[in-house]
Amino acid sequence: MGCGASTPEGADGAKPEKKAGSGDTAGSPGPDKFFKEVDKVKKKQPDNLCAKYLDKKYYSTLEGADRDTFYKCVRTGIDNPDSGMGCYAMTPGDLTKFKPFFGKVIGDYHKKDPKCALTHKNDWDISSVGEGGVLDLAKLGMAEPISMRVRVGRNLAAFNLPGAMDKAERIKFEQTMLPAFDKLIATEGYGGKVYSITPDFGADGANPNFIDDAKYQELVKKHVMFKDMDADPYLKSAGISSDWPFGRGCWMSDDEQKIIWIGEEDHLRIMVMKKGFLINEVFSELKTMLDLVETLEVCKFAKDDQYGYITSCPTNLGTGMRASVHVKIPNLTSDGTDAKAKEVAGPLGLSVRGTGGEHTPIGADGTVDISPRARLFIKECEIVEALYKGVELLMAAEEKAGKEPAPPPAAEKKADAPAASTAASPEPDDFFKLVDKVKADQPDNLCAKYLEKDYYASLTGADRDTFYKCVRTGIDNPD
């Protein structure tokens, strides 16, 4: 598996001189041409996993439609060298067909092991989590209801994944989903409406659920609908945003707490979002809705024997789940950044970002979005448990930060006062020459990653000596 058709032997058993996949095709460049670009990216962007594991010999074994499809899978990582993952599956079978490539990328991203042979298992049972399955944020010191969201990505086995769909298939997919939405609308506790930005259904005529741009923008502002994907260079290069806005829309329940996106990065993004204290409620409501959708014959979700639920991006494989809460931590963000929050959350496997999504600022009141990073080789119940425990530790750090004395105003500090010298720890300038080198050479070294010169310089005497003992091994042993 993983290769295209082999080169046939001649009648005398000798192989023809022409090498498989040696030249350009209408849908993919030849190996020599392509790897001139790949090698540039490998050198300049060593963290680009797509470029890291692209192998010229393997690419050369592919030919025809197989090579064209594989090129579509990896093109975005070369077009966009700053990509972290840099590749997307185009069909539900690509993870198996192109396993020599995808296996390494997936193993490295999820387990730092390109030879990873683990098998994913799904399990939504939270009865043993928290207090009999109850995860109450109020018991962690939350004084007011907070925003909670849990979503999963799903793709139908009968269709190409979004990157390989053409306009006709996108329309057909949307039409295929309409009976599922009709069932939700007719079910007590759901109701709701379908909002579509597909201008028309082509030969099948008008789209009964079409909304104008004003309504679409209103839903985007409410975070009910996703933004214009065609403006995203990564999705554009992968073909995922093609034919915009055909095949895109959403269903939303009457209470506006349950939403299903149609035609984003995956066929479906199924989510529940609400304000409250009980994470388990959001989790259980999502599972109930997911089970209801999956009872329909048309909703046979694509799965892989090793990687669980198939998603376009390998980062979301397995559970396809992202569970998040908005947490107010004004003490940890008093400097206007989320750096201190990341120091606490990072080692716990949690991501910290702005409330508007990745690369957005933290809230003016110190509110940040917290979510577990893991998706694959972890059970759904474990993701929710990790979120709850992470918030618990983050709130403890927030309380501790509130008890620490505030630094003196700048006017009270002695101008140009040198950092206190000690016998047991190096001066900031000397120490951070080493730290900065480790940061550049070993980006996965978490100690070096989160060491800050300003913070180190603020420590004096025995405190700095003790702190230096805490972190010294990470600098002495960069790997």
Side-chain angles (χ1 to χ4, degrees):
M1 301 296 287
C3 298
S6 60
T7 304
E9 294 185 351
D12 59 356
K15 293 186 177 181
E17 292 182 4
K18 183 179 179 181
K19 295 179 180 179
S22 60
D24 291 358
T25 73
S28 59
D32 290 340
K33 181 179 179 180
F34 184 41
F35 275 79
K36 284 181 181 179
E37 299 302 316
V38 172
D39 290 341
K40 289 179 185 177
V41 177
K42 286 189 182 198
K43 185 176 180 180
K44 294 181 179 179
Q45 299 287 346
D47 294 331
N48 181 319
L49 292 180
C50 174
K52 181 178 180 179
Y53 290 107
L54 272 171
D55 180 78
K56 188 175 181 180
K57 289 182 179 179
Y58 174 65
Y59 185 81
S60 298
T61 67
L62 303 174
E63 59 181 357
D66 280 351
R67 196 178 79 185
D68 292 349
T69 299
F70 182 72
Y71 176 67
K72 289 180 181 177
C73 292
V74 302
R75 176 180 173 179
T76 187
I78 307 306
D79 286 351
N80 302 283
D82 61 344
S83 299
M85 174 57 72
C87 55
Y88 293 91
M90 294 290 122
T91 77
D94 286 349
L95 301 182
T96 299
K97 179 177 287 187
F98 306 121
K99 193 74 169 274
F101 168 77
F102 276 116
K104 294 173 184 175
V105 170
I106 293 166
D108 190 325
Y109 179 84
H110 290 281
K111 288 296 180 181
K112 301 297 182 185
D113 177 11
K115 297 181 180 180
C116 180
L118 295 173
T119 298
H120 179 81
K121 295 181 180 179
N122 296 92
D123 185 355
W124 290 71
D125 184 7
I126 59 171
S127 59
S128 61
V129 177
E131 297 181 3
V134 177
L135 300 169
D136 189 353
L137 293 171
K139 293 187 176 181
L140 304 184
M142 299 291 183
E144 56 188 60
I146 66 170
S147 176
M148 306 177 290
R149 177 186 292 218
V150 183
R151 61 86 166 156
V152 294
R154 293 289 186 267
N155 291 284
L156 302 195
F159 290 84
N160 286 315
L161 297 180
M165 291 174 121
D166 59 18
K167 185 169 79 171
E169 189 175 15
R170 295 183 196 281
I171 291 173
K172 183 180 179 182
F173 166 72
E174 181 174 342
Q175 291 175 308
T176 298
M177 284 304 302
L178 293 180
F181 296 132
D182 287 341
K183 181 170 184 177
L184 287 173
I185 291 169
T187 301
E188 184 177 355
Y190 291 89
K193 184 178 179 180
V194 174
Y195 301 91
S196 174
I197 55 175
T198 298
D200 59 72
F201 285 156
D204 291 334
N207 177 0
N209 302 307
F210 178 70
I211 58 173
D212 61 20
D213 188 64
K215 182 64 177 180
Y216 166 65
Q217 295 299 335
E218 175 191 324
L219 295 175
V220 169
K221 288 179 181 179
K222 293 171 66 175
H223 303 291
V224 172
M225 264 292 284
F226 44 94
K227 298 177 181 178
D228 182 352
M229 299 162 61
D230 209 32
D232 187 316
Y234 304 91
L235 299 180
K236 194 177 186 72
S237 179
I240 291 173
S241 66
S242 297
D243 310 304
W244 179 270
F246 286 88
R248 276 80 176 200
C250 74
W251 162 84
M252 180 171 62
S253 63
D254 283 335
D255 62 10
E256 301 187 356
Q257 294 181 353
K258 303 173 185 69
I259 299 168
I260 300 178
W261 286 353
I262 313 164
E264 203 234 18
E265 186 177 298
D266 293 305
H267 292 157
L268 304 171
R269 288 282 172 92
I270 304 168
M271 65 193 81
V272 174
M273 59 181 188
K274 64 192 301 184
K275 283 195 171 185
F277 295 104
L278 301 178
I279 295 179
N280 55 287
E281 279 189 356
V282 184
F283 182 79
S284 298
E285 287 177 17
L286 175 61
K287 182 63 168 70
T288 299
M289 180 168 65
L290 197 57
D291 289 344
L292 180 59
V293 172
E294 207 165 3
T295 58
L296 288 176
E297 187 176 347
V298 297
C299 290
K300 182 181 178 182
F301 296 143
K303 293 189 76 173
D304 181 87
D305 289 342
Q306 181 179 0
Y307 301 126
Y309 285 104
I310 293 171
T311 53
S312 290
C313 183
T315 62
N316 292 320
L317 289 168
T319 61
M321 176 180 284
R322 184 176 187 275
S324 67
V325 294
H326 287 181
V327 181
K328 190 183 297 185
I329 45 175
N331 296 323
L332 288 173
T333 57
S334 59
D335 61 354
T337 74
D338 57 12
K340 292 180 181 177
K342 286 181 176 178
E343 287 180 12
V344 177
L348 302 173
L350 299 176
S351 293
V352 180
R353 64 186 195 180
T355 55
E358 199 167 6
H359 308 306
T360 62
I362 60 176
D365 60 354
T367 299
V368 296
D369 179 284
I370 306 293
S371 67
R373 285 194 296 267
R375 309 274 194 274
L376 180 64
F377 306 131
I378 184 172
K379 298 172 183 177
E380 288 84 354
C381 55
E382 292 171 339
I383 290 177
V384 175
E385 182 178 25
L387 178 61
Y388 185 76
K389 289 185 175 179
V391 172
E392 182 178 18
L393 292 173
L394 195 63
M395 294 305 296
E398 166 70 8
E399 183 179 1
K400 181 180 179 181
K403 295 178 180 178
E404 294 175 355
E412 295 179 17
K413 295 181 180 179
K414 294 182 180 179
D416 301 320
S421 179
T422 76
S425 57
E427 297 300 314
D429 288 341
D430 294 334
F431 184 39
F432 274 79
K433 286 180 182 178
L434 298 175
V435 172
D436 291 340
K437 188 176 187 306
V438 175
K439 285 187 179 186
D441 294 341
Q442 298 289 342
D444 292 329
N445 182 317
L446 293 178
C447 174
K449 182 177 181 180
Y450 292 108
L451 272 172
E452 292 185 356
K453 188 174 181 179
D454 288 346
Y455 175 67
Y456 182 83
S458 72
L459 303 174
T460 59
D463 284 346
R464 195 175 81 185
D465 293 346
T466 299
F467 181 73
Y468 175 66
K469 289 179 181 179
C470 292
V471 301
R472 178 179 175 179
T473 185
I475 307 307
D476 287 350
N477 304 281
D479 59 348

